[in-house]
Amino acid sequence: MRIVIGSDHAGFPLKSSIVEHIKSLGHEVMDVGSYDPNPVDFPDVAKNVTASIIAGTAERGLLVCGTGVGASIAANKVKGIRAAVCHDVHSAHQSVEHDDVNVMCIGAQIVGAWLATDLVDAYLKAEFSKDEDFRRRVRKLAEMDDQR
């Protein structure tokens, strides 16, 4: 799977260990910044991550910022993106299985490298359920996108 990842300055230190872990799983990683610990605005990084998903050059995205919240808000402004903050393994897989999430947001100030690895594993292994209830709900989310 091709994964796009981005971080702001708060998420930058954690991002490198996440990138290495994803590569060790055999996935391709596109890192769209930031590339150093200097301050950067998370909405700009979210635009880079979401643009790759919308363009089809990546199947899923990861955003790492201080809490994951700002990145999630920014990503969800983009039509076709379903982003979720995940700080527990259950949410990391269920967000994909039930809500077809295509961007997982992690708070580097909330989780450490070990938990981040578990979150990434759960997120990348999860598949969107074929259950019609979940499919119907995600279609309704797409309809909401069209009403903007």
Side-chain angles (χ1 to χ4, degrees):
M1 187 180 319
R2 183 177 249 183
I3 311 300
V4 59
I5 187 169
S7 72
D8 68 1
H9 52 284
F12 175 74
L14 179 59
K15 183 179 68 166
S16 62
S17 65
I18 293 173
V19 167
E20 290 309 312
H21 179 66
I22 294 169
K23 287 180 180 178
S24 77
L25 297 173
H27 300 289
E28 185 178 342
V29 180
M30 299 173 5
D31 184 347
V32 296
S34 69
Y35 304 110
D36 57 49
N38 296 323
V40 62
D41 295 337
F42 63 82
D44 297 331
V45 177
K47 281 183 188 179
N48 294 338
V49 168
T50 58
S52 293
I53 294 169
I54 297 303
T57 58
E59 296 169 68
R60 292 200 193 159
L62 283 158
L63 282 164
V64 188
C65 71
T67 64
V69 174
S72 175
I73 293 168
N76 279 312
K77 297 287 184 185
V78 177
K79 182 179 177 177
I81 297 298
R82 289 169 307 283
V85 178
C86 298
H87 292 150
D88 64 272
V89 172
H90 181 71
S91 297
H93 71 80
Q94 188 164 328
S95 66
V96 175
E97 293 168 357
H98 290 194
D99 306 308
D100 200 21
V101 160
N102 51 14
V103 177
M104 182 172 70
C105 304
I106 299 174
Q109 296 166 343
I110 310 298
V111 305
W114 285 7
L115 179 53
T117 296
D118 292 345
L119 297 173
V120 168
D121 287 347
Y123 173 63
L124 296 180
K125 288 177 185 173
E127 295 181 12
F128 186 35
S129 173
K130 302 222 183 294
D131 184 298
E132 182 52 34
D133 289 341
F134 301 125
R135 299 274 170 159
R136 181 183 65 253
R137 292 171 189 143
V138 170
R139 282 193 303 272
K140 288 182 177 186
L141 293 173
E143 290 170 8
M144 291 173 75
D145 268 348
D146 291 337
Q147 294 171 358
R148 291 188 204 195

